Amino acid sequence: MCSIASKIPDDQLSRVATVLIGRLGDAIWLVRLTACKAMCSIASKISADQLPEVMTALIERLGDASWYVRQAACEAMCSIASKISDDQLSAVVTTLIGRLGDANSAVRQAACKAMGSIAHIISDDQLSAVVTVLIGQLGDARWHVRLTACKVVYSIASKMSDDQLPTVMTALTGRLGDAVCNVRQAACEAMRSIASKISADQLSTVVTALIERLGDADWHVREAACKAMCSIASKIPDDQLSAVVTA
């Protein structure tokens, strides 16, 4: 079904979606997994009438016993994010927050991506809860989760509240010294997106950390650090500017 999804005519799509909804609750986990993937393939064509039923079934799969299914359900949420109704948004956010703390790192990463997909449509109160959990994911034991968390922070930077910004900045500054170069690069990019909100109290710490990254062993990190430094250049005090230029 996944391979022919783009070719299914509209008059048959409704029937296909109805059957897939049933398969999302199949007794065999591999069938549920494939049904989630098929939903990804037809997400853009699902009608508004069927969407609530699809969303209810996918939300249930976010709590599936199989981590493969939970991961696929998160990925399906990414595909369908733009269509989520206000009525179901709260349930989706609450369930995804739970998956951000999943025992499996692949599920946590997929939940991060899904959260990034819906960040632009959630309320300020919901965003605050999401950011709180994301801060924890910036320190995740698995580097690919930390990487994705940095990217999500980058995408939602403009919506963060001033109250949460200091904690976010502290977590991002820590990731500038991450053991994995991909994470250090993503942290630099996230720092650039949040540059206009950096407070005077945190500026010195951020500049010091970015100066270190200007000498990073990985050129992608050095480039990202240069761009981040450009974003905050106008705020750098004279006593630190000399160190930046020398670096």
Side-chain angles (χ1 to χ4, degrees):
M1 191 64 76
C2 292
S3 60
I4 64 169
S6 61
K7 297 181 180 181
I8 299 173
D10 293 342
D11 60 341
Q12 286 189 302
L13 191 66
S14 175
R15 184 181 174 190
V16 169
T18 299
V19 175
L20 282 176
I21 289 168
R23 295 290 61 79
L24 284 170
D26 198 276
I28 305 299
W29 74 266
L30 194 55
V31 177
R32 299 195 301 274
L33 169 65
T34 309
C36 284
K37 291 182 177 180
M39 279 298 184
C40 279
S41 302
I42 66 170
S44 63
K45 299 179 74 177
I46 293 174
S47 69
D49 291 340
Q50 283 191 303
L51 194 63
E53 193 176 0
V54 170
M55 290 303 303
T56 298
L58 281 176
I59 289 170
E60 190 172 337
R61 293 286 63 80
L62 286 171
D64 199 275
S66 167
W67 73 262
Y68 292 101
V69 179
R70 297 196 302 275
Q71 178 187 17
C74 287
E75 291 167 351
M77 283 294 179
C78 286
S79 302
I80 214 166
S82 62
K83 293 189 171 189
I84 297 174
S85 68
D86 291 340
D87 292 340
Q88 291 192 303
L89 190 57
S90 178
V92 171
V93 172
T94 299
T95 311
L96 282 175
I97 286 175
R99 294 286 65 81
L100 285 170
D102 198 277
N104 186 278
S105 62
V107 179
R108 296 197 299 274
Q109 182 184 28
C112 276
K113 289 180 180 177
M115 203 60 87
S117 298
I118 65 171
H120 66 289
I121 59 173
I122 64 180
S123 69
D124 291 343
D125 288 342
Q126 290 171 327
L127 185 66
S128 178
V130 170
V131 172
T132 298
V133 181
L134 276 176
I135 290 169
Q137 299 317 105
L138 286 168
D140 196 275
R142 299 287 185 172
W143 74 265
H144 58 275
V145 180
R146 300 195 300 273
L147 171 65
T148 305
C150 284
K151 290 181 177 180
V152 174
V153 168
Y154 175 90
S155 69
I156 67 174
S158 63
K159 292 191 69 177
M160 283 184 192
S161 69
D162 292 340
D163 291 341
Q164 287 189 303
L165 197 62
T167 309
V168 173
M169 290 302 303
T170 298
L172 275 180
T173 302
R175 294 287 62 80
L176 288 172
D178 199 276
V180 178
C181 63
N182 304 69
V183 180
R184 296 196 300 275
Q185 179 186 357
C188 286
E189 291 166 351
M191 203 64 86
R192 178 161 57 96
S193 71
I194 217 167
S196 63
K197 294 188 172 187
I198 296 176
S199 68
D201 292 340
Q202 291 194 302
L203 186 60
S204 177
T205 303
V206 171
V207 170
T208 299
L210 283 175
I211 286 174
E212 286 190 34
R213 296 288 65 81
L214 288 171
D216 199 277
D218 186 276
W219 74 265
H220 297 93
V221 179
R222 297 196 300 273
E223 180 188 29
C226 281
K227 290 179 178 178
M229 199 66 86
C230 285
S231 299
I232 62 171
S234 62
K235 295 184 174 185
I236 300 174
D238 293 341
D239 59 340
Q240 282 193 302
L241 194 61
S242 174
V244 172
V245 173
T246 302

